[in-house]
Amino acid sequence: MHKYANPANFRALAAKLRPVFFIAFLATLVPGLVLGLFTSPEDGLQGQSVRIMYVHVPSAWMGMFLYLSLAIACFVSLVWKHPLAALGARAIAPIGAVFTALALITGGLWGKPTWGTYWIWDGRTTSVLVLFFLYLGYMALWNAMDDEEKAGRVTSLLGLAGVINLPIIKFSVDWWATLHQPASVMRLDGPTIDAQMLTPLLLMALAFKALAVILILDRTLLEMEKRRVKVLISQLGYQADTRADTLAAPLGPTSSTLKRGS
Amino acid sequence: MPDFGAHSVYILVAYGLVALGLGTLYVLTWWQRQTLTKQAELMKAQVKRHRDTATPSGQSDG
């Protein structure tokens, strides 16, 4: 596992995985869209607006799945101090935030024609909004600290603490009386949704998952580049200092040059 | 193309926003990576230049 902490190894792995997931993304997105928008039946109660489900539910699943991935990465970073885990968690956060925001927005657009309102403060919608704020808080905390090691530890603690929100989201529709419908796919007694609707829903969920993997790979590489630029900036700063010291004391190196050069 | 009836606007806006949101994230990530990679290459060259000029001819910088 530690061999992928080497940027060159991770780049090679990403280069291999990217096309595989890109093909998987297209292979599931196209039939998912065709079935979801054109061939699946309309709902008896909700009418055509049920088609929003094919983007709303996979976005919500991804928002939760990515937070769980972020928390696992935080745990690995805290316990085993794996350098790639902290970068991975940092890379996941904006992707999870976008998927969660899309779940909230598309939920509102689905709610208006079915519930008569874009928003209601019920258990499910509020706990998903909390998830969105957890993502924002995690990213803000990373950006607020200059010391990366300290930032990694503090954000990992926040990431782990936020996991408590995931079962609240999942069971909110069972614990409280809400407008939001109860689970119809992830149930112990099997899905209650018709196969004609379940197929495009699962295809879109797979498409979103493949896209999320591509984005995680790309954003982890981006975080590596950021770190590389930081190292180069410090090297340039060090060299500029060294040159200034040498010019100021042409007869010999100063104590600071010796100290840094040792 | 099926007629989505009175719900057309909600459906189209929902799918449009998902495409826009995920598309923007993808393009932004790609653009940031390209910019940072170019910046890193330039800085690497600058570091090398600094090293070369900091080392007088005939001497080694260790």
Side-chain angles (χ1 to χ4, degrees):
Chain A
M1 191 66 192
H2 268 78
K3 78 173 183 176
Y4 293 114
N6 179 323
N9 287 344
F10 185 80
R11 268 190 207 104
L13 177 75
K16 273 184 205 158
L17 290 178
R18 219 172 168 285
V20 175
F21 280 95
F22 193 72
I23 291 167
F25 169 63
L26 288 180
T28 46
L29 179 76
V30 174
L33 279 176
V34 171
L35 292 175
L37 280 173
F38 305 116
T39 63
S40 69
E42 63 179 275
D43 185 76
L45 289 171
Q46 302 174 31
Q48 296 284 358
S49 72
V50 75
R51 296 187 197 284
I52 296 174
M53 172 178 73
Y54 305 121
V55 284
H56 167 72
V57 176
S59 299
W61 283 345
M62 285 316 300
M64 291 172 68
F65 172 76
L66 287 173
Y67 197 87
L68 185 65
S69 310
L70 181 147
I72 292 169
C74 287
F75 182 77
V76 172
S77 167
L78 266 182
V79 177
W80 289 289
K81 310 235 179 303
H82 193 289
L84 198 60
L87 285 185
R90 199 174 181 183
I92 289 169
I95 308 167
V98 168
F99 274 112
T100 310
L102 289 173
L104 288 166
I105 295 167
T106 53
L109 287 164
W110 193 10
K112 182 66 179 165
T114 48
W115 300 342
T117 178
Y118 286 107
W119 181 260
I120 185 159
W121 291 99
D122 79 353
R124 175 58 68 85
T125 55
T126 309
S127 52
V128 174
L129 185 65
V130 169
L131 178 70
F132 179 63
F133 287 139
L134 278 169
Y135 277 123
L136 293 189
Y138 179 89
M139 289 189 285
L141 203 55
W142 255 115
N143 291 326
M145 291 183 178
D146 289 329
D147 183 348
E148 286 221 348
E149 207 173 304
K150 193 178 170 192
R153 277 199 307 272
V154 176
T155 52
S156 291
L157 287 173
L158 174 71
L160 281 174
V163 169
I164 192 74
N165 192 40
L166 295 182
I168 296 176
I169 295 173
K170 168 74 182 143
F171 297 110
S172 57
V173 285
D174 304 320
W175 291 343
W176 298 293
T178 71
L179 266 183
H180 198 284
Q181 68 179 66
S184 51
V185 179
M186 290 182 186
R187 295 165 59 99
L188 288 175
D189 54 350
T192 55
I193 187 171
D194 189 85
Q196 280 181 295
M197 290 176 170
L198 185 62
T199 308
L201 181 61
L202 294 180
L203 281 169
M204 289 299 283
L206 286 173
F208 278 26
K209 200 157 273 186
L211 180 64
V213 173
I214 294 169
L215 285 167
I216 290 170
L217 290 173
D218 284 0
R219 289 204 73 89
T220 307
L221 290 170
L222 173 68
E223 292 299 331
M224 283 178 166
E225 287 297 331
K226 275 186 193 169
R227 200 160 271 194
R228 188 172 158 219
V229 166
K230 254 188 187 174
V231 169
L232 284 166
I233 285 172
S234 65
Q235 275 182 7
L236 275 173
Y238 159 72
Q239 287 187 349
D241 278 0
T242 312
R243 289 187 73 194
D245 282 349
T246 314
L247 287 171
L251 294 176
T254 62
S255 57
S256 63
T257 323
L258 284 171
K259 201 175 164 189
R260 276 196 296 269
S262 61
Chain B
M1 181 156 173
D3 177 20
F4 298 135
H7 299 152
S8 298
V9 176
Y10 299 108
I11 296 168
L12 292 176
V13 171
Y15 277 76
L17 283 175
V18 169
L20 187 72
L22 295 176
T24 305
L25 181 65
Y26 184 85
V27 171
L28 264 180
T29 305
W30 175 83
W31 177 77
Q32 276 182 298
R33 249 187 81 198
Q34 294 295 315
T35 312
L36 276 174
T37 306
K38 272 181 200 159
Q39 194 186 345
E41 290 308 318
L42 282 173
M43 290 176 87
K44 216 171 139 186
Q46 214 175 335
V47 169
K48 193 176 175 303
R49 229 177 12 250
H50 271 272
R51 260 190 207 143
D52 291 347
T53 50
T55 312
S57 59
Q59 284 184 27
S60 164
D61 64 351

